[in-house]
Amino acid sequence: VRDVAADPSRGSRGDGESHRRRKEKIRAILAEIQAPLSLLLLRLCNWALLKLLNRLFLGVQLHRGQLEALLRAARTPDVPLVFLSTHKSQLDGLLLSFVLFSQGLGVPRVTVGGRICSPRLRALLGRLGGIFLPSRTEQTPSDGDEELSGAVLATYVEEVLRSRQPLLIFLEEPPVALCLSAPAREWLALVYRAVRDGAVPDVLLVPVGIAYDVIP
């Protein structure tokens, strides 16, 4: 990130004012990607989700054999977990986060795709573990800001994996099924790059998913 920000071709200078502006821009990009987790909101959301599940569904079933395999994978030492899931409903992110959190696997960082979110919804999802592609990356501009956004995003993914925070990537964007979405392709490329560049020695890719009798 420092190398990209200090690139002379981007008009960077070495004075204090230029350095301060670069740091502010980098912080702004990082704030677009993620927000600090809120334990209070997580507890409130878990309570509300239980109420919601009881109203929406007759029952929620966990496959015990698959759950045991998931817990075994989580015990693999020094290897970060990357969960890969299809995307059947807008509830998938909340439901999978709830299941993983309730099984002691921590709060995953959940990729939120390219659909438009209001600022308030985006802020709420960020506090619950949602992460977003920065707007510069989604719009793919031609100026040098894209390179800086890409550097911050790549470094962020490296740090998530290095700190062994679970990462949940949705491969599709509902209602389009069986098609790898553009945001998913971007997140997977960042994970591959982190391994290729040696930021982490390896990652464990774990398929997870939800099946509905009737999709809500």
Side-chain angles (χ1 to χ4, degrees):
V1 172
R2 189 180 296 115
D3 290 343
V4 172
D7 186 354
S9 65
R10 302 182 69 251
S12 301
R13 299 190 307 272
D15 55 43
E17 180 64 21
S18 178
H19 180 68
R20 184 185 63 79
R21 284 199 302 269
R22 288 198 300 270
K23 287 185 69 173
E24 287 178 355
K25 183 175 289 187
I26 290 167
R27 287 197 184 103
I29 295 169
L30 185 59
E32 280 192 273
I33 298 171
Q34 62 102 51
L37 293 174
S38 169
L39 292 179
L40 176 61
L41 273 178
L42 284 166
R43 292 191 181 102
L44 284 174
C45 185
N46 279 338
W47 174 82
L49 196 56
L50 281 173
K51 300 290 186 184
L52 178 66
L53 292 177
N54 287 329
R55 289 182 177 274
L56 280 180
F57 306 113
L58 294 176
V60 177
Q61 300 177 346
L62 292 178
H63 191 291
R64 189 163 296 278
Q66 293 175 352
L67 184 59
E68 289 173 356
L70 183 63
L71 294 174
R72 283 199 304 272
R75 290 193 291 268
T76 305
D78 302 322
V79 178
L81 292 177
V82 177
F83 300 111
L84 303 178
S85 178
T86 57
H87 209 175
K88 306 297 184 186
S89 156
Q90 302 294 358
L91 285 176
D92 288 358
L94 289 174
L95 285 169
L96 282 173
S97 294
F98 171 73
V99 170
L100 296 172
F101 182 64
S102 66
Q103 297 302 313
L105 295 174
V107 181
R109 287 293 185 174
V110 183
T111 62
V112 181
R115 61 183 181 274
I116 298 174
C117 294
S118 68
R120 288 185 179 182
L121 178 59
R122 187 174 178 126
L124 174 62
L125 292 176
R127 289 290 187 173
L128 295 174
I131 56 175
F132 303 80
L133 293 175
S135 56
R136 289 289 184 181
T137 301
E138 290 175 349
Q139 296 166 4
T140 58
S142 57
D143 58 19
D145 286 340
E146 181 191 359
E147 189 178 4
L148 182 60
S149 293
V152 175
L153 182 60
T155 305
Y156 172 76
V157 171
E158 289 178 2
E159 289 302 318
V160 167
L161 297 175
R162 192 179 287 120
S163 62
R164 297 197 65 197
Q165 295 180 63
L167 179 62
L168 171 58
I169 299 176
F170 284 108
L171 302 177
E172 306 164 339
E173 284 293 309
V176 181
L178 302 178
C179 180
L180 186 64
S181 68
R185 196 182 304 274
E186 178 80 12
W187 289 112
L188 290 170
L190 290 164
V191 172
Y192 168 75
R193 175 178 167 179
V195 177
R196 182 198 66 190
D197 294 348
V200 289
D202 199 2
V203 296
L204 196 58
L205 301 179
V206 183
V208 295
I210 296 178
Y212 301 94
D213 289 334
V214 178
I215 296 177

